[in-house]
Structures are given as C-alpha cells and as structure tokens.
Amino acid sequence: MVGYLIRRILGAIPLLLGILTIIFFIIHIAPGDPTARFVNPNVSPRVIEQMRHNLGLDQPLHIQYFKWLWSFIRGDFGYSFGQQQPISQILPGVLWNTLQLTLVALVMIFVVGMLIGIVQAVRQYSVADNVLSFGALFFYSMPSFWFALMLILVFSLKINQVIAMNPAMAPWLGWLQFPASGMTSVGYEFMGFGQKMGDRFKHIFLPALALGIGNAAGVARYMRGSMLEVIHQDFIRTARAKGLSERVVIFRHALRNALIPIITLLGLYLPFLLSGAVLVETIFGWPGMGRAIVDAILQRDYPMVMATSFVIAAMVVLGNLVSDVLYAVVDPRIRTE
Amino acid sequence: MPATVTPEQMPPEPIAQTAAPAAGRAGRQPATPLQVALSLIPGLGHFARGEWILGMTLFFAWCFTLSLAYLSRARTQAVFTGRRIPADGLVAVITLGLMAILVWGWAFYDLAVRSRRERRQFGDSQWSIAARHFKKNKLAIGGLVVMVLLYVLTLVTPLIAPYDPSEQGNIILSRYLAPSLEHLMGTDKFGRDIFSRVLFGARISLSIGFIAVAISITLGTLIGAFAGYFGGIVDGILMRFTDMMLSFPRLVLLIVVIALFEPNIYLVVVVLGLTGWMGTARLVRGEVLSLREREFVQAARALGMGDWRIIFRHVIPNTMAPVIVSATLGIGQTILTEASLSFLGLGVQPPTPSWGNMVSDGRDALINAWWIATFPGIAIVVTVVAFNLLGDGLRDALDPRLRT
C-alpha cells in the first residue's frame, strides 16, 4: 500500500508541473501587465520601467519561467503584486476558508444524497421515487449561482421584509432567517462560544447549500442505482428470510455494500466543488480561494495566480488519490499487492 | 481440404424471418380518399381514423404555426418591404414557411403514401431497436419536444419577441416594471423587456452550447480513437495529457484563459470547446481498446486497409452510441458553464443579452425587482433539464445493458 501511494504521488508530480507550465505561459503571453494600473500621466514612464524591472517582468520569458520554477521547487511562492504581501502569509487563511465551505458542503452532499437515494431504491417505481427522481434532475440542472441568488432572495431579503412588517412573526420565522453575505456577523468578537458557533453555522449554511445541492442530486442518482443493484441480490433475501427487521436489512446489509461505489465519489467531487466555489464565494462575499484566484487574474497578479492554481490542482490530484485509496480500503477485491 | 464437410463448416442455415409483430403500424388500414381530403387541415384526417396521438400532435403543430404567422404578420411584411432585409428576420420567415410545409406535408404523406404502402420488413439494426426503446420513454420524449421547440423558437425569435431586446424604454416610467400583460416578465433597470431578452438570450446560449460541444466531441473522439487504436507511446502521451487537463477544474481554467484575453463570444465558444473534450476522449479510448481486437477490425486489416481508413470507417462509427449520449448531456453542462461565465462578466458582454448576464443584472436589484434574475434562471433550468432528460433517455435506449 505504501509503495502504491508513493508511486501515485510521484506520478502526480509531472501532471502538476505540466498544468502549471501551461498556465504560466498562458498568463504571461496574454495581453495586460501588472503595472498597468499605475500608468497615468502623473507617473513617469521611467518609474513604470523601474517597477517592471523590480518585478522581473523585463526579462525574457524562458528566464522568468526557470526563475519561477526554481523558487517554486524550493517551496517559495513569491510575493503577491496585488496585496503587497508574501503569498505564504495570504494563502493559508484563504485556503482554510474554502476548505470549511467545501467540507460542510461535502458532508451535506453525501448525507442528503444518500438518504434520498436509499428512499428511492427502497420504494422503487413508487410516486415518491418518481417525484424525487425528477426533483434530483431539477436540482442537478440548476445553475448554482442562480440558486444562490434565489436562496438569498427568499431566506434573507424577503424574510427580513416580512419580519420588519409584522414583528409578531419573528419567533416563528426567525430561525429561517440567514445572513446574505460574509463569514461572521458584526459583533462576532464579543459573542460567547455557543453564539459564535451558531453565528458561523448561520453564515455557512446558505453558501454550502448552494454549492452542494446540485452534487447532492448527482449522488442521489448514483446511490439509487447502486442500492438497487445490491437490493436484488441473494444475501439480502437471506437476511430477510432470517427474520431481520427491514431497517437492519437496509442499513446493515444493503447500505454497506451499496456504499462501495459511492465512497469513491468522495474525492472526485472536489473539482466540482472548487469550480462551484468560485461562483458561490463571489455571491456570498466569502473570502476564499475562488475569489482569490479571480481577483488575482483580474489584477494580473502572476505569482498569486500560480500559487492558487497550484493549490487547486494539488487538491484535485489529492482528491483522486483519496478516492482510489478509499476504494481499496472498502473493497478487498481491488486491493493492490 | 477435408473430404467431408463437418457441420461447423457448413454455411449457417438461413434463419427464417418470422414476421415479428411490428410495433405500432402493423395493422394499419390504408386511408380512404375522404380521410386524405380531411388532411387539408393536418390532424383531422388522423382524428377520423382514431389515431389520436399523432392527430393531436399534427393539429397542435399546425395551429401553433398558423397563430405564429398570424400574430407576426406585420413583421413578416416588414421583412420584405423594408429597404434592407435583415438576415435573422429572413431566417425566421423561412423557418415559419418550412414548419408549415413540414406539418402539412407530413400529414398528407402519412395518410396518402405511408398508410397504403406495404410495411417493408427490415432487419433490426442497432438504431431501430434503440428508437423503439426511446419511444417508450415518456420523459425523454418530453425532453426532445422541449429541445426541438427551443431551437424553433430561437429561429423565429424576431417574429415573436414583442420588443427589441436592446430597446430602452422611458428611463423613469418604464424601468423595473413588474410582470404584466404588456411586459410578460417585467422590465429591467433600463426599461428593457425581459421576455424579449430571454428569447434573444436563448439564441446565444443554445448556439454556444451546440458549437462548443461539436468542437469538444470531435476533438475527444479523435484523441480517444488515436490513443486507443495505436496504443503504446501515442496512448501514453495522449492520456497523460488528458489526465493533466482533468486535474484542473474546468471553470477555473476557463476563467484563467478568458479573463486574460478580451472576453468575447468567439473566444468563449472556442475555449469551452477546447476544455470539454477529456471525458469523451476517455470514453472513446475505452471503446476502441475493445473494438481493436474484434474480428471485423482484424478482417479489415487482413484486407490490407490502412490504419486511417480502419479508424475512420470501422472503429469510430462503432463508438458513436456513447458519444451521442455524452454530447447531449454535454450541451446541457456547457449551457450551464456559459451562463456561469457570463454571470461573472467573462462570457457574453452586456449589451448582448445572455441568460447568465441577465441573472447578473438582476443581482443588484434582487429585492425590489425579483423578476430580472428569476426568469432567465428558469429558462436555464428548463433548457438544461430538457437536455438531461433527452440524454438519459438516449443512454437508456442505446445501452443494451440499461434497456428494460
């Protein structure tokens, strides 16, 4: 297993280097310049030239590439042009924010998706199955940015309006009220621990829902198929014949076997979540990777683009690896020597 | 040459074709002249024969075409009397004419020719079996109908859109109007009619989806076929490249590329096409790996055919079934991705309406004008649901393992 892991990780290195090289050349060949925002009649062209020289942009492209490669190999991401800080100081905070959002969304995806899938499989071809199937397809086809806006419209704006109009409703509707943006409320520093947790939960709920709902629908479809395959096998009939209760049959015997193909999805959903995070973070004002990379691109902040691209690509490769390892863990037939 | 011929070497006995109960039209009566005459209005002839479903379909299609022609009569005239004939107006009128001819011709052809002809006994091809299974799937048929309707609508848009999509109304009196009979979906902050903009936005979204998927499917099929057929080092290089492209989230890659260059519609189409081929390439490679060892490919090789001829004439046509499914599902996904890009301001640029940038416009006025963001979003959902239903139906019909 250890040998397999090492081989996989070594195999991932050229992949990462390849994609980063492509991105490096795309962003440097593209028109635009990080110093462009300083150009105005009051700034002498010599100052701009000096700036370009300081940032190393006046050198030939291949020299820039090897310089970047060398510092990258040493683990030095460089200095952000846009935020005037070392990237190693910016990145961990941004990454942690995105990971929080992504992990909450991931848990939501799998819990909701699996429950729906199980219900559908157990009641195959019933009204509930058809309704849930169509509902899943509907959410699966929905653009996450639009769903996010609709969530804000209903659970933040409209509910605030309703409560403002008749305050008597507040006790009933208050728990449906969610903040529209940000990670914490204004007075966050002065709250007690329980309140802090509640506040964070309220802030993360809508973005995680918007991020996760489409993928949850996808998981539900997989789960239904996988569960149906298992449910018609002999050992399930045996379990029923033994007189086990339906709940034990479904959750002990069937679910465990149906989970095998689903577990592998866990790692594969990472790219989708990271893509979605770009949109959801922009809408909910969530200071994470997605917004960082978009801002960096728009400012032509080359070192920041390279650093965030590396982190995202590394997370995807890691996700693939996790999914393969999990597969080997849950299914003894796959285990490599 | 052995003296006696063993049973294995005998040519297989021709299996007597039992007249399989042909689905649907087997026991069809030839149409009477009266019924054919009734078909002057498409659908009536079929009603007279009791073929309700086909009759209703034809009748509604006919009514739809006629009412469209009636409602847009002023504009249809304007297309011809105007000094400069606008290209899209002309396309719309031609589409309308073709629709009328098609519906009318089909009703006549079906009664006067098809119902009188002996049903020829074809062997069951892969496609005819799939078509039979597809017809049973109501949801998939629904998806197909919605898709066809959407494409027809995009063609006749100039005739049915009540306003010009970029026509700004009175900035004080007609901005942020709620949905009403006059403005079916309300107006936006410049007083532009949302309904017209949704209709015109459909053109952009559907054509971008179609062209981008055409590019990515072609590329994916070629790369997958070469990798699978030649194997060895070609396979290694192409598949490592595919893995590399897959190790980066598509939307982020699109943003990197598009944000750096001037975003415009052609760039969006090309980049969407160039970043969407990886799934197809893997799919086709898998198929080709097994096809390569089949007898018919070996026979082609033994006949002395070149690799290219074998790939294009024998291998690729046999991989088409899963590719068609992935293309259909891909159009839906591409429409979603294009909308996301436009929403971020990186796709279609503002004066041109696209569903994504309309939702983005509505974001500023979410609380006092909910309709701006809501209706384009619903349009996206309906379109993508239709493509997904169609794709699922095609997959169930084309994959023998999934047929029920």
Side-chain angles (χ1 to χ4, degrees), chain B residues 192-213:
Chain B
R192 297 175 297 195
D193 182 53
I194 303 276
F195 179 60
S196 308
R197 288 177 68 75
V198 167
L199 281 177
F200 275 92
R203 287 180 161 190
I204 306 274
S205 291
L206 288 171
S207 37
I208 286 185
F210 192 78
I211 299 171
V213 168

Side-chain angles (χ1 to χ4, degrees), chain A residues 22 27 141 146 153 221 275 300, chain B residues 244 249 260 366 373 377 388 392:
Chain A
I22 292 179
I27 62 176
S141 312
W146 182 71
L153 178 63
R221 296 173 89 187
S275 283
R300 300 289 190 274
Chain B
M244 200 174 79
L260 288 169
L366 208 51
N388 282 341
D392 284 352

Side-chain angles (χ1 to χ4, degrees), chain B residues 307-318:
Chain B
D307 285 335
W308 290 83
R309 194 180 155 89
I310 296 178
I311 290 178
F312 284 104
R313 299 295 293 278
H314 296 271
V315 174
I316 287 183
N318 280 297

Side-chain angles (χ1 to χ4, degrees), chain A residues 14-16 18-19 22-23 26-27 29-31 125 134 137-138 140-143 145-146 149-150 152-153 157-158 161 221 271 274-276 278-279 282-284 293-294 297-298 300 302 305 309-310 312-313 316-317 320, chain B residues 139 240-241 243-253 255-257 259-262 333 336 339-341 343-344 346 355-356 359-360 362-363 366-367 370 373-378 380-381 384-385 388-389 392 395 404:
Chain A
L15 279 187
L16 289 180
I19 192 83
I22 292 179
I23 289 179
I26 290 177
I27 62 176
I29 289 170
Y125 300 135
F134 196 76
L137 185 80
F138 185 74
Y140 180 77
S141 312
M142 185 144 32
F145 61 91
W146 182 71
L149 286 183
M150 292 297 116
I152 291 180
L153 178 63
L157 303 177
K158 284 289 171 196
Q161 253 183 357
R221 296 173 89 187
L274 289 173
S275 283
V278 175
L279 295 161
T282 313
I283 294 171
F284 286 95
I293 195 169
V294 173
I297 293 167
L298 293 179
R300 300 289 190 274
Y302 298 148
V305 176
S309 303
F310 165 71
I312 289 179
V316 174
V317 170
N320 285 339
Chain B
L139 279 175
R240 286 298 80 70
F241 186 64
D243 286 346
M244 200 174 79
M245 294 289 286
L246 275 173
S247 74
F248 208 72
R250 187 180 179 197
L251 189 63
V252 181
L253 189 62
I255 290 172
V256 171
V257 177
L260 288 169
F261 297 87
E262 280 296 278
Q333 284 307 309
L336 274 185
S340 312
L341 284 173
F343 177 76
L344 287 173
L346 296 174
W355 292 339
V359 174
S360 168
R363 200 183 150 192
L366 208 51
I367 185 133
W370 54 269
T374 307
F375 290 114
I378 291 174
I380 300 176
V381 175
V384 180
V385 165
N388 282 341
L389 283 177
D392 284 352
R395 174 170 38 211
T404 43

Side-chain angles (χ1 to χ4, degrees), chain B residues 23 73 77 118 142 145 153 171 187 199 236 245 253 255 259 282 289 312 318 322-323 336 353 363 367 369 377:
Chain B
R73 63 195 185 282
Q77 279 170 6
E118 281 293 305
V145 168
L153 276 184
I171 203 80
T187 60
L199 281 177
M245 294 289 286
L253 189 62
I255 290 172
R282 284 193 159 182
L289 279 181
F312 284 104
N318 280 297
V323 169
L336 274 185
R363 200 183 150 192
I367 185 133

Side-chain angles (χ1 to χ4, degrees), chain B residues 102-143:
Chain B
L102 204 71
V103 173
W104 211 59
W106 178 255
F108 260 115
Y109 171 78
D110 192 57
L111 287 187
V113 184
R114 263 181 78 149
S115 72
R116 292 181 183 184
R117 195 164 61 190
E118 281 293 305
R119 200 184 133 75
R120 271 177 66 196
Q121 197 72 52
F122 286 109
D124 271 353
S125 79
Q126 180 195 5
W127 303 105
S128 67
I129 297 174
R132 219 160 51 222
H133 281 273
F134 185 80
K135 277 185 198 157
K136 283 189 214 151
N137 190 339
K138 298 243 166 47
L139 279 175
I141 293 283

